[in-house]
């Protein structure tokens, strides 16, 4: 089961977590592995917390990554990274975009956005924090935050870069490809 | 080559391969993508029906007319379609008829977590349940075959984790199924008592025949392993069992109704301990207990929510891996009305006016959450108008003047119309607000009869809500732009004071669809007195931080609602 890889991708509805999971699905396809993705459609996509799971390996039964099961958590937002932390396996890593998106209970002053999230994460596991938005914007598409994060993930995984490029080509509409390839490289270079 | 398909996409693919030519549905999570996918196939007539009852009736008519037809809905949709379903079980089919029911254990996007398997049992229609996208495709094709072989509608049950999971599928070719001849056959299709009695006999006979041929169907299978624990399961539970209890012997049921009693008995005999692992109700467990077999399950797994591998492992004594501890009291992140959403304006006014609000199901249900807190009840699609009527009949005419119902355009057409007829006919006085955002927003912007577009977004006859309400007998029908807060408030004041029912159509397109993009607004820091008036509408783009009030330019769509509420005109840019 050494080829098995479990990822949890978390963020806020509308941030593009589904695209990231599909790129990973394509990676699994190219490696000839069994793969399952669990996606969120429906109500939570209206700005709620969203969790997408990606699992690949020889044989995958459940589409879900559960507590203590993730090799990586790819977080599009800090609070969501902290919320997802229990999914992480011992020795796993968190790749977190340092954006903070205030949830409504915080906006209206009913609750507080936690402080020191990165410190807390660093105390628990290998934490790779990056500010993906400016990198995505520089690459030509502010919505390519997901691809910057994937670029950083790719650096932590053994697969060849060509595999990732092909996965992006398979997954993205051609007109977005160029900016996303740049965004990927920006993440990879970190 | 294998493709990575959603369960829902695989169902659509299966129906296409099976030669289906008619597809009907009303949207509902987690079933919606099946029909959106089916609409891409040019060989299949597809429609969004006004509701699930109509959808099933159209599909049944298509089947009677000799076509293979598929009809898709979420679990609560089956409640709406239950009337035709129970009698379609009697008429049986001509072309194959498959009904997809998508359950939502854990209520990711639903108002309850009812278990559709009971429908199959009480209507006496066979039901299949897939565990993967591959099975979604294969079982859909199989369902059409069974439907024609046994002259019965066939149900296929999904749960969210199958419908919305992607896994590898080997797609095949489409096999055209020629239209079957149509013959008038009142004894089969006119269900009045004399004929229906005959059909009830047929229902029982076909179920017996199916049971006698059940092992040849190849839908149920035993995976022998260590006989000390034998697990009976289906669907998503099968995946969790394989993951959590890899050593156990497993009887996987692909046909969840009727049950393969002989196979279950054989399995029970050969294992030392027999358990059922199923989400929601003890559907298998109770039937197996009734066979006199010693079995357990629900005492461990419970009736609520989803199961998951880890929980299952723990219940059966496996060591569960642990991750870092959960951080207590993290702020929740519930779904919210989008920036620029026209519903926000309506709820702002309703809360200000302190109305009792019987609301309905759609994006506008979110008006119940803080800070709007403007909603008193939400039950099921269409319930709002009847609930307001009941409140009036219980508490009197004066109470009706403080009560409004709020219902979306799609929901009104789905099942609000009959409530409005009741309000008129039985002399109610409350005011109905139709929040018309010109789309079926909650489920992902499907067109509906009020939008003037069909499922392919091509022009279609447009239902006029105003004329419909007038035709029903409502004397006072008003149309207002909800962003004109003063007008909305004025109209509501007038209409609720009037005798007799009123309808107020609050019309403004969904912010996600509207083409006019306005520049984001800005806060004039020197003018802001931090009173918080703008925060009380719950817009995710506005927040109060250490440095004062700010508007996130990435989120703000410049709708101007907040600017209109500011007593110091401290929010600038954008106009109403
Ligand atoms: C019987 C039933 N069918 C389908 C659904 C799923 N569903 C919930 S709300 C909704 C439609 C909402 O559209 P609309 O009333 O126009 O309001 P909007 O979301 O656009 O504000 C649907 C299809 C349901 N809850 N119950």
């Amino acid at each position: 089961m050494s080829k098995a890889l479990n990822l949890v991708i978390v963020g806020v509805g509308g941030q593009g977590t589904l695209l990231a999971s599909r790129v990973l699905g394509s990676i699994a396809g190219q490696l000839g592995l069994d793969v399952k993705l669990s996606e969120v459609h429906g109500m939570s996509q209206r700005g709620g917390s969203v969790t997408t799971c990606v699992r690949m390996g020889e044989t995958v039964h459940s589409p879900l990554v559960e507590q203590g099961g993730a090799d990586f958590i790819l977080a599009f937002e800090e609070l969501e990274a902290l919320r997802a932390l229990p999914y992480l396996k011992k020795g796993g890593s968190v790749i977190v975009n340092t954006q903070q998106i205030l949830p409504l209970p915080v906006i209206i002053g009913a609750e507080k956005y936690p402080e020191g999230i990165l410190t807390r994460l660093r105390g628990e596991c290998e934490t790779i924090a990056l500010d993906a938005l400016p990198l995505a914007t520089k690459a030509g598409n502010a919505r390519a935050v997901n691809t910057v994060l994937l670029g950083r993930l790719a650096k932590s995984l053994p697969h060849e870069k060509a595999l990732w490029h092909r996965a992006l080509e398979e997954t993205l509409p051609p007109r977005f490809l160029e900016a996303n390839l740049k965004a990927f490289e920006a993440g990879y270079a970190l | 080559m294998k493709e990575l398909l959603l369960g829902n996409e695989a169902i659509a693919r299966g129906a296409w391969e099976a030669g289906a030519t008619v597809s009907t549905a009303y949207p509902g999570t987690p079933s919606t993508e099946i029909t959106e996918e089916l609409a891409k196939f040019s060989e299949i007539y597809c429609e969004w029906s006004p509701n699930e009852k109509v959808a099933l009736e159209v599909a049944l008519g298509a089947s009677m007319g000799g076509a293979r037809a598929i009809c898709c809905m979420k679990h609560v949709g089956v409640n709406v379609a239950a009337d035709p379903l129970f009698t379609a079980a009697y008429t049986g089919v001509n072309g194959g008829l498959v009904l997809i029911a998508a359950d939502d254990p854990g209520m990711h996007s639903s108002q309850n977590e009812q278990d559709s398997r009971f429908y199959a049992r009480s209507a006496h229609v066979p039901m299949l349940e897939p565990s993967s996208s591959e099975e979604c495709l294969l079982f859909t094709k199989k369902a059409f075959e069974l439907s024609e072989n046994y002259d019965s509608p066939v149900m296929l049950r999904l749960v969210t984790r199958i419908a919305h999971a992607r896994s590898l599928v080997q797609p095949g070719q489409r096999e055209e199924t020629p239209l079957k001849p149509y013959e008038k056959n009142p004894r089969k299709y006119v269900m009045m008592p004399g004929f229906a009695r005959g059909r009830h006999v047929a229902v029982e006979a076909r179920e017996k025949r199916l049971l006698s041929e059940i092992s040849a169907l190849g839908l149920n299978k035993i995976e022998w392993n260590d006989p000390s624990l034998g697990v009976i399961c289906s669907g998503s539970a099968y995946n969790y069992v394989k993951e959590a209890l890899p050593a156990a012997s497993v009887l996987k049921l692909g046909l969840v109704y009727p049950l393969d009693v002989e196979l279950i008995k054989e399995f029970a005999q050969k294992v030392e301990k027999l358990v059922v692992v199923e989400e929601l109700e003890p559907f298998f467990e109770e039937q197996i207990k009734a066979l006199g077999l010693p079995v357990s399950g629900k005492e461990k797994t419970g009736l609520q929510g989803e199961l998951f591998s880890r929980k299952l492992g723990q219940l059966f004594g496996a060591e569960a891996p642990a991750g870092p501890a959960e951080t207590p009291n993290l702020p929740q992140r519930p779904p919210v009305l989008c920036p620029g959403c026209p519903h926000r304006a309506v709820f702002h006014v309703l809360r200000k006016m302190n109305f009792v609000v019987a609301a309905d199901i759609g994006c506008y249900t979110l008006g119940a959450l803080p800070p709007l807190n403007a909603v008193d009840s939400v039950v099921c699609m269409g319930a709002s108008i009847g609930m307001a009527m009941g409140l009036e009949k219980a508490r009197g005419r004066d109470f009706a003047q403080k009560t409004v119902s709020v219902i979306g355009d799609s929901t009104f057409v789905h099942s609000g119309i009959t409530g409005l007829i009741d309000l008129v006919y039985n002399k109610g006085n409350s005011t109905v607000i139709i929040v018309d955002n010109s789309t079926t927003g909650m489920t992902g912007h499907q067109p509906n009869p009020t939008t003037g577009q069909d499922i392919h977004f091509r022009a279609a006859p447009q239902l006029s809500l105003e004329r419909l309400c007038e035709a029903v007998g409502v004397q006072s029908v008003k149309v207002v732009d909800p962003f004109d807060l003063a007008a909305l408030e004025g109209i509501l004041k007038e209409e609720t004071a009037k005798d007799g029912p009123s309808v107020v159509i609050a019309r403004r397109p969904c912010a996600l669809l509207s083409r006019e993009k306005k520049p984001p607004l800005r806060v004039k820091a020197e003018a802001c007195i931090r009173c918080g008036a703008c925060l009380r509408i719950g817009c995710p783009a506005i927040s109060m931080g250490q440095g004062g009030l700010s508007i996130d330019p990435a989120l703000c769509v410049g709708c101007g609602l907040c600017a209109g509420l500011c007593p110091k005109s401290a929010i600038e840019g954008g106009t109403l």
Side-chain angles (χ1 to χ4, degrees), chain A residues 22 36-37 39 41 43 46 48-49 55 61-62 64 66 77 80 83 85-86 88 101 107 111-112 120, chain B residues 33 109 161 164-166 239-240 242-243 308-310 323-325 327 331-333 335-336 371 441 540 542:
Chain A
R22 275 175 221 168
K36 286 196 175 170
L37 317 181
E39 303 185 348
H41 300 249
M43 190 132 176
R46 296 268 172 276
S49 304
R55 301 191 61 203
H61 291 292
S62 165
L64 301 173
E66 302 182 31
E77 199 270 350
E80 296 312 314
R83 200 191 307 282
L85 189 59
L88 203 66
I101 300 175
I107 287 178
E111 293 181 57
K112 272 209 144 49
R120 167 82 215 281
Chain B
E33 299 79 11
S109 299
R161 301 298 186 175
H164 287 168
R166 275 176 201 275
N239 294 332
Y240 304 139
K242 293 298 281 185
E243 197 83 37
F308 304 135
S309 323
R310 188 172 182 274
T327 311
Q332 291 302 305
R333 192 187 297 276
V336 288
I542 314 175

Side-chain angles (χ1 to χ4, degrees), chain B residues 163-184:
Chain B
H164 287 168
R166 275 176 201 275
S167 56
L168 294 168
V169 175
Q170 181 63 58
Q173 294 303 312
R174 176 172 167 95
E175 275 182 48
E176 292 298 340
T177 28
L179 203 61
K180 293 195 167 176
Y182 174 72
E183 280 161 37
K184 181 166 172 162

Side-chain angles (χ1 to χ4, degrees), chain B residues 122-200:
Chain B
S122 54
H124 289 278
V125 298
M127 179 183 261
L128 311 181
E129 185 174 19
S131 290
S132 63
S133 297
E134 180 82 33
E135 283 188 354
C136 283
L137 188 151
L138 296 174
F139 283 15
T140 303
K141 290 168 85 167
K142 193 80 182 172
F144 278 107
E145 259 173 54
L146 293 184
S147 174
E148 287 172 4
N149 288 349
Y150 294 98
D151 188 9
S152 170
V154 170
M155 291 180 79
L156 188 146
R157 178 201 192 217
L158 289 172
V159 295
T160 303
R161 301 298 186 175
I162 302 297
H164 287 168
R166 275 176 201 275
S167 56
L168 294 168
V169 175
Q170 181 63 58
Q173 294 303 312
R174 176 172 167 95
E175 275 182 48
E176 292 298 340
T177 28
L179 203 61
K180 293 195 167 176
Y182 174 72
E183 280 161 37
K184 181 166 172 162
N185 186 353
R187 292 195 164 269
K188 182 158 153 55
Y189 291 108
V190 179
M191 287 301 91
M192 52 199 221
F195 295 163
R197 281 185 204 110
R199 290 304 302 170
H200 200 175

Side-chain angles (χ1 to χ4, degrees), chain B residues 29-31 73-76 100-104 116 156 158-159 163:
Chain B
T29 315
S31 71
M73 55 193 65
K74 70 182 287 166
H75 61 333
V76 286
I100 311 286
D103 286 9
D104 190 16
S116 291
L156 188 146
L158 289 172
V159 295

Side-chain angles (χ1 to χ4, degrees), chain B residues 140-354:
Chain B
T140 303
K141 290 168 85 167
K142 193 80 182 172
F144 278 107
E145 259 173 54
L146 293 184
S147 174
E148 287 172 4
N149 288 349
Y150 294 98
D151 188 9
S152 170
V154 170
M155 291 180 79
L156 188 146
R157 178 201 192 217
L158 289 172
V159 295
T160 303
R161 301 298 186 175
I162 302 297
H164 287 168
R166 275 176 201 275
S167 56
L168 294 168
V169 175
Q170 181 63 58
Q173 294 303 312
R174 176 172 167 95
E175 275 182 48
E176 292 298 340
T177 28
L179 203 61
K180 293 195 167 176
Y182 174 72
E183 280 161 37
K184 181 166 172 162
N185 186 353
R187 292 195 164 269
K188 182 158 153 55
Y189 291 108
V190 179
M191 287 301 91
M192 52 199 221
F195 295 163
R197 281 185 204 110
R199 290 304 302 170
H200 200 175
V201 174
V203 168
E204 208 179 317
R206 75 162 181 241
E207 196 166 290
K208 285 209 174 106
R209 181 164 70 85
L210 192 156
L211 280 169
S212 74
E213 296 166 358
I214 204 163
S215 57
L217 302 179
L219 288 161
N220 304 321
K221 59 172 191 210
I222 297 180
E223 296 170 358
W224 285 116
N225 222 327
D226 179 355
S228 65
L229 178 65
V231 184
I232 300 179
C233 55
S234 69
S236 57
Y238 167 78
N239 294 332
Y240 304 139
V241 167
K242 293 298 281 185
E243 197 83 37
L245 311 169
S249 293
V250 173
L251 166 51
K252 176 185 184 299
L253 297 174
L255 186 68
V256 297
Y257 183 82
L259 285 189
D260 188 342
V261 172
E262 293 312 314
L263 191 66
I264 291 171
K265 283 185 182 157
E266 180 200 326
F267 185 67
Q269 229 167 37
K270 294 185 183 162
V271 298
E272 279 160 45
K273 184 174 159 57
L274 183 67
V275 300
V276 172
V277 173
E278 55 191 329
E279 284 176 332
L280 305 181
E281 297 294 315
F283 181 77
F284 298 146
E285 187 178 340
E286 283 180 352
Q287 293 181 75
I288 294 167
K289 277 188 175 145
L291 298 172
L293 299 171
V295 66
S296 65
K298 279 295 150 191
E299 66 203 44
K300 272 204 166 103
T301 58
L303 298 177
Q304 298 172 31
E306 301 182 270
L307 274 175
F308 304 135
S309 323
R310 188 172 182 274
K311 177 169 160 195
L312 200 60
Q314 281 171 324
L315 291 172
F316 287 88
E319 214 179 299
E326 210 170 282
T327 311
N329 306 322
L330 286 184
Q332 291 302 305
R333 192 187 297 276
V336 288
L337 293 174
C338 305
C341 176
H343 299 330
R344 176 176 289 110
V346 173
F347 288 114
H348 165 70
V349 169
L350 292 179
R351 193 206 35 203
K352 183 174 167 207
M353 298 178 80
N354 226 346

Side-chain angles (χ1 to χ4, degrees), chain B residues 526-547:
Chain B
E526 67 286 0
C528 173
I529 54 167
R530 302 193 179 199
C531 66
C534 57
L535 292 173
R536 285 194 282 273
I537 52 173
C539 176
I542 314 175
S543 58
M544 183 75 83
Q546 308 273 294

